[in-house]
Every structure is written in C-alpha cells, then in structure tokens.
Amino acid sequence: MATTEEEKKKQQPDAVEQAIRSMEERAGELRNYAASPVKTDTSGQPNWMAEVERVRREYTETPEQKAAREHRESTNRRIAALTDGIVALSNMAGAMGGATPIKPASSLSSAHRAAVERAAKHRRENARLYDTARRYYSGLQYKQDKDNADRYNDAVKARLDAGKQADTLQGTAARLRQTKANADRADERARQRQQEQERHNRESEATARIRAAKTGSSRSGGSGNTQADYDEYARWEREHPDEVNQIRQDNAQINPYTGQPEKSVTSTTVKLVNAKMRQKYGSPSGSVGKKKVSGFGGSQSLGKKKIAGFGN
C-alpha cells in the first residue's frame, strides 16, 4: 500500500517544478520581446509639411515669378511715362496752333502706380494667409511627430521593462530550483537515515531474537545449534528479511494461552530458516559445519539430527 502511494506521488506533476517551468517560459517570451526591433506604424498619417508646401506655392511668388513681375512693372512704368510725355507734347503743339488742350482724367503713370499698389497689397494679404496656414500645418505636423516619438519611446521602455521582468523571473526560478534541490537532498538524506534506522532496528530485533533463542535453548538443555548456526540465521535475516519473516510466520508455534503465533525465534526456527534458505540460495561459505540435513541435498550440513517435515 505504501509503495502504491509513493508511485502515485511520483506520477503526480510536481507543482513547484511546473511553477519554475512556467516562470522560465514567461521569461523566455519577455526576453524575445525585449530583443525585438522597435517599429512605429505611421501608415495612413497625413503629410502636413506637404500641405505647407502647397499653400506656399499658392500664396507666394517664386524667384522667377518675382523677376518676371518686376520686369513687367518696370516696362509698364516706362511705357506709361512715355505715353504721358507724348500726350503733354501733343497738348503743347495743339495749344500753339490755337487748339484746345486735352486734359485726361488721370495719367497712365498714376494708373500704373495704382495697379502696382493693388498688386502689392494682394501679395501682402497672400503672405499673411500663407503664414497663418504654415503655422497651422506646422503645428499639426509637430503634434503628429511628437505622438510618434512618444509611441516609439513607450515601445523602447516596454522592451526595457520586459528585459528587467525576464531577469527577475529567471532569478526567482533559479532560487526556487535551488531551494527545491536543497529540499530534495534533505528528503533523500532523511529517507536514507530512515532506511538505515529500519535496517539497524531489524538487525537489533534479529540479534535479540537469536539471543532469546540461544537463552531458551540453554535453559532447555541445548538444541544442537552452534554459534555458526545462529550467525548464519542472522545473515539470512539481514540479506533476505522478508523471506525469513515469511518462513517464521508460516511455521510459528501457537501460544496456548493467547492463541497467537509466537514472535520469538526458537532453535527450531533457526534450523528451519537455515535449511530453507540453503535450499534456495545454497550454503553461505564458511557458515556450515560437517553435519547434514536430511532432505536438503547432500552438501548442506546441520548435524546428525533430522528435522521433521524436511527430507526423507
């Protein structure tokens, strides 16, 4: 029954070992995550700087456009001045001939200057609109870049934390494994001490029973057993305790007062055990005398007396 319980315990999973393996597996997962590259998904995000460039092209002049405009304004200014001069000369010539001078509402130069001023005002308004749009889109781009950087830093920090957690789990698993190993060694030492104590108790009990048998034999006038016979019995009980115990139980005398088998070792038990164990395992070297036991081969020796029920 005890053996069955021990086998059941061995078949059951070790909770501590399972916990250690779970920690080591989790530590491995965290270690792999900590070593993974950091990536931030920016797909689908708008390019606000492209919008800044778009409004810049819409509301500002390129150097080429500015050069062309200035050249055009200069040409128109010279044309307007020349036209105004020709008109003035015509009026002067007509007046000298008695004609009435022409008085235009405004000169072309004035009209040109007004047109140039309106164009400059329009450019200043466009510049204001561009500056507003630039600051707006630049702010959106800055916020987007900052959010991406924050996500990147969070991912880096998460991997660093995962590495620290893996170190902690591995350290805990190592300590648990060492503690379990120490406990297993302590249990093994305790088991060995228990086995040694049990063996010592069996030998002490065997020695006590043999001593009692020898004492009883001496009181009854002797049984024919020698010291070698008792030593041989002790050797069989030490080497094969279960079989010797079974022989003793099967052939124990019944106490007439209690009705229970006697537990003490008698001289007859010594002879019986030695005979049966010799028959099964052969005579131990140097433990037998010259006497034979009838019915157990020709080489086993126990004396001239026959044991009832063994041999012919």
Side-chain angles (χ1 to χ4, degrees):
M1 184 66 181
T3 305
T4 305
E5 292 296 332
E6 291 178 0
E7 291 178 354
K8 287 183 178 179
K9 287 183 179 180
K10 291 181 180 179
Q11 293 175 357
Q12 291 178 353
D14 191 336
V16 177
E17 185 63 27
Q18 285 184 333
I20 292 173
R21 290 180 181 177
S22 177
M23 288 182 183
E24 291 176 343
E25 290 175 359
R26 179 56 180 163
E29 294 174 357
L30 291 171
R31 191 75 67 193
N32 292 334
Y33 174 72
S36 63
V38 179
K39 295 180 180 179
T40 53
D41 185 15
T42 59
S43 60
Q45 293 183 350
N47 186 356
W48 298 114
M49 296 309 296
E51 290 298 310
V52 172
E53 180 62 22
R54 182 185 64 80
V55 295
R56 187 193 66 79
R57 291 193 303 269
E58 181 178 353
Y59 293 111
T60 61
E61 293 179 322
T62 64
E64 293 78 9
Q65 291 174 338
K66 181 179 180 181
R69 176 181 58 76
E70 290 177 349
H71 176 72
R72 185 173 56 255
E73 290 177 351
S74 175
T75 301
N76 291 338
R77 185 171 57 254
R78 286 194 295 269
I79 292 173
L82 179 60
T83 301
D84 290 340
I86 292 173
V87 171
L89 290 174
S90 297
N91 285 333
M92 185 181 297
M96 292 176 64
T100 302
I102 300 174
K103 295 181 179 179
S106 62
S107 65
L108 289 179
S109 297
S110 299
H112 173 69
R113 284 193 298 274
V116 169
E117 181 60 30
R118 285 194 301 272
K121 182 178 179 181
H122 182 67
R123 288 196 301 274
R124 287 192 297 273
E125 180 63 20
N126 286 346
R128 186 186 65 78
L129 293 175
Y130 165 69
D131 186 64
T132 301
R134 179 187 61 78
R135 285 187 281 107
Y136 173 72
Y137 290 128
S138 296
L140 293 178
Q141 187 66 46
Y142 172 79
K143 183 178 183 303
Q144 181 173 278
D145 293 342
K146 184 179 182 301
D147 291 342
N148 292 337
D150 290 343
R151 284 195 296 270
Y152 180 86
N153 293 333
D154 290 343
V156 171
K157 184 178 182 299
R159 282 160 175 77
L160 293 175
D161 293 341
K164 294 178 181 178
Q165 292 176 12
D167 293 339
T168 301
L169 284 175
Q170 286 182 336
T172 303
R175 288 192 295 274
L176 283 176
R177 192 174 293 282
Q178 183 62 43
T179 302
K180 182 177 182 297
N182 294 339
D184 291 342
R185 285 194 293 269
D187 291 342
E188 179 63 19
R189 289 193 295 269
R191 186 183 66 81
Q192 292 176 355
R193 286 194 297 269
Q194 182 180 1
Q195 290 179 346
E196 181 63 23
Q197 184 63 39
E198 291 175 353
R199 185 191 65 79
H200 176 73
N201 292 342
R202 286 196 302 269
E203 292 181 355
S204 299
E205 291 174 1
T207 302
R209 286 193 296 269
I210 292 172
R211 186 181 296 112
K214 291 171 67 176
T215 303
S217 174
S218 299
R219 290 176 180 176
S220 63
S223 63
N225 288 333
T226 64
Q227 182 62 43
D229 294 329
Y230 289 109
D231 292 342
E232 181 182 353
Y233 174 86
R235 179 179 181 273
W236 292 125
E237 189 164 20
R238 186 169 55 253
E239 294 180 357
H240 306 282
D242 295 336
E243 295 183 40
V244 171
N245 185 52
Q246 188 64 43
I247 295 173
R248 287 177 41 240
Q249 290 181 2
D250 293 343
N251 298 275
Q253 297 180 0
I254 303 300
N255 189 316
Y257 298 102
T258 63
Q260 299 296 325
E262 291 284 1
K263 295 183 180 180
S264 61
V265 177
T266 64
S267 59
T268 304
T269 305
V270 172
K271 292 179 180 181
L272 184 62
V273 168
N274 288 345
K276 285 197 172 187
M277 297 305 286
R278 286 176 187 174
Q279 184 182 22
K280 184 173 182 179
Y281 296 104
S283 300
S285 59
S287 64
V288 237
K290 298 179 179 179
K291 295 178 284 185
K292 296 181 180 179
V293 180
S294 175
F296 290 92
S299 60
Q300 284 88 351
S301 58
L302 280 177
K304 295 179 180 180
K305 297 181 181 179
K306 295 182 179 180
I307 299 177
F310 293 91
N312 300 320

